[in-house]
Amino acid sequence: MHLSTHTWMRPEPLESTLKRASSLGYTSIELAGKPSRYFVGDTKALLEKYKISCWGSVTIMYGPRDLAAADPAQRKATIAYTKSVVDLSAGLGGEIVTLVPCTVGKLHPTASPQRKWEWVVHGVREVALFAAEKGIRIALEPLNRFETYLITNISQALQLIEEVKAPNLGVAFDPFHMNIEEPDLIAALRRCGDKLFDFHLGDNNPLAPGDGILDWPLIIQTLREIGYTGGLAYEAMPPIDRTPRNAFGAKQMEPEPWDVDEGTLQFIKDHSSGVLKEGYYTSLLARSAETILPLIK
């Protein structure tokens, strides 16, 4: 196993992200699914400079991106977008793409459950077959009920995997989400078995590992037991304390206005967060490394 980090939580130049990650002992990256932001040649040069490998990429499901959309054109565009994320990962030597099938924050279906399921099965199958040709595995990520209405636990993810019937389709396990949805987090992790393709790092709150109540030694032990050898990708998006005790958020967030594109900013806001201060964000990654690295060495 190796320590990795996502890039979407703090909008900043990729070099800033890589420099921080490398200095803290991270050895890989899971890039935000924004192919227009990461030109392969330039990104490869930065990865080599900081001795960071590309573990993969993750779909950023905001706006019209939705494999369960009632509009066929919307589903087609989402499939095309997801394929472009696969190309990004493959072009940088990545191994996985984490896929959330539906728009994050969409909590109610717009068609019958049966039709929505059929659309998602079809879309995920098309993406998985495309990814197989590129040597990329697709990792389905269940989210908690407050962020999606479809695929909220491991049993549902495994059901989708069974119906898609693509050997390169597995699970991305995020213990923050599954701590909410699963009655037994460790049993759910064991059920993934060899279908566990990616693992995200965030505690129950969701702060850095070690700043919540999750049992990280047991989690890492269980990952070893099921034979997982991939990335442990930091993806904690802390809630903002907007009360006077935190200077109404000023201790955590950069002052507004934020120079961030509208879609990214809305995605961050939908996670009850904001553009985090560099020092605060660095402390979260440092805490994650402090908790996890001794367990995987």
Side-chain angles (χ1 to χ4, degrees):
M1 288 179 279
H2 54 90
L3 192 59
S4 186
T5 181
H6 287 256
T7 63
W8 66 265
M9 295 89 70
R10 186 176 193 272
E12 62 184 2
L14 179 61
E15 183 158 14
S16 299
T17 303
L18 296 177
K19 183 177 180 180
R20 179 192 302 109
S22 178
S23 71
L24 294 172
Y26 290 76
T27 58
S28 75
I29 204 88
E30 188 166 334
L31 288 168
K34 289 180 169 287
S36 62
R37 180 181 295 176
Y38 303 114
F39 297 105
V40 170
D42 295 341
T43 303
K44 275 186 174 179
L46 284 174
L47 291 171
E48 291 172 4
K49 178 179 179 180
Y50 291 100
K51 295 180 173 54
I52 297 279
S53 65
C54 178
W55 166 233
S57 187
V58 58
T59 57
I60 304 297
M61 303 298 283
Y62 60 63
R65 295 169 184 166
D66 187 359
L67 291 177
D71 180 0
Q74 191 177 344
R75 297 197 302 274
K76 183 178 180 180
T78 303
I79 290 171
Y81 159 71
T82 308
K83 287 180 177 179
S84 74
V85 177
V86 169
D87 280 334
L88 173 65
S89 181
L92 293 170
E95 298 183 36
I96 59 98
V97 164
T98 295
L99 171 61
V100 175
C102 304
T103 308
V104 175
K106 183 178 179 181
L107 302 180
H108 302 284
T110 53
S112 71
Q114 293 89 346
R115 295 196 72 187
K116 304 284 277 187
W117 186 260
E118 290 169 2
W119 292 334
V120 170
V121 168
H122 175 270
V124 172
R125 181 181 292 126
E126 183 172 339
V127 168
L129 291 174
F130 177 82
E133 296 174 357
K134 310 279 183 173
I136 297 293
R137 293 175 295 157
I138 300 296
L140 289 169
E141 182 179 7
L143 305 182
N144 71 72
R145 74 193 79 175
F146 307 110
E147 296 187 34
T148 188
Y149 67 92
L150 190 67
I151 314 297
T152 60
N153 60 47
I154 296 304
S155 295
Q156 293 167 357
L158 292 174
Q159 178 68 36
L160 182 58
I161 290 166
E162 182 180 339
E163 295 196 25
V164 170
K165 292 180 171 56
N168 65 322
L169 182 62
V171 175
F173 194 105
D174 189 316
F176 162 68
H177 294 297
M178 296 303 94
N179 178 69
I180 295 172
E181 299 299 336
E182 292 285 355
D184 186 330
L185 185 73
I186 298 302
L189 187 52
R190 289 196 176 106
R191 281 209 311 280
C192 295
D194 62 4
K195 280 298 179 181
L196 182 64
F197 287 179
D198 191 20
F199 189 89
H200 295 171
L201 294 175
D203 223 304
N204 67 294
N205 358 28
L207 295 175
D211 285 340
I213 63 171
L214 297 185
D215 187 340
W216 290 99
L218 179 58
I219 289 171
I220 298 300
Q221 176 187 325
T222 305
L223 288 170
R224 283 201 174 95
E225 289 173 359
I226 64 175
Y228 183 71
T229 59
L232 306 175
Y234 172 80
E235 194 193 29
M237 198 60 180
I240 302 301
D241 182 352
R242 293 180 171 86
T243 67
R245 68 181 292 275
N246 190 46
F248 303 101
K251 293 181 180 179
Q252 293 171 285
M253 293 189 298
E254 297 283 5
E256 298 188 57
W258 297 321
D259 185 19
V260 182
D261 69 88
E262 184 178 348
T264 298
L265 182 57
Q266 189 59 53
F267 191 71
I268 290 172
K269 286 181 175 180
D270 287 345
H271 285 79
S272 300
S273 198
V275 178
L276 303 177
K277 283 188 171 181
E278 197 279 335
Y280 176 61
Y281 186 65
T282 297
S283 72
L284 295 171
L285 271 83
R287 176 61 168 152
S288 181
E290 176 186 88
T291 300
I292 300 300
L293 281 176
L295 298 175
I296 63 174
K297 286 183 176 177

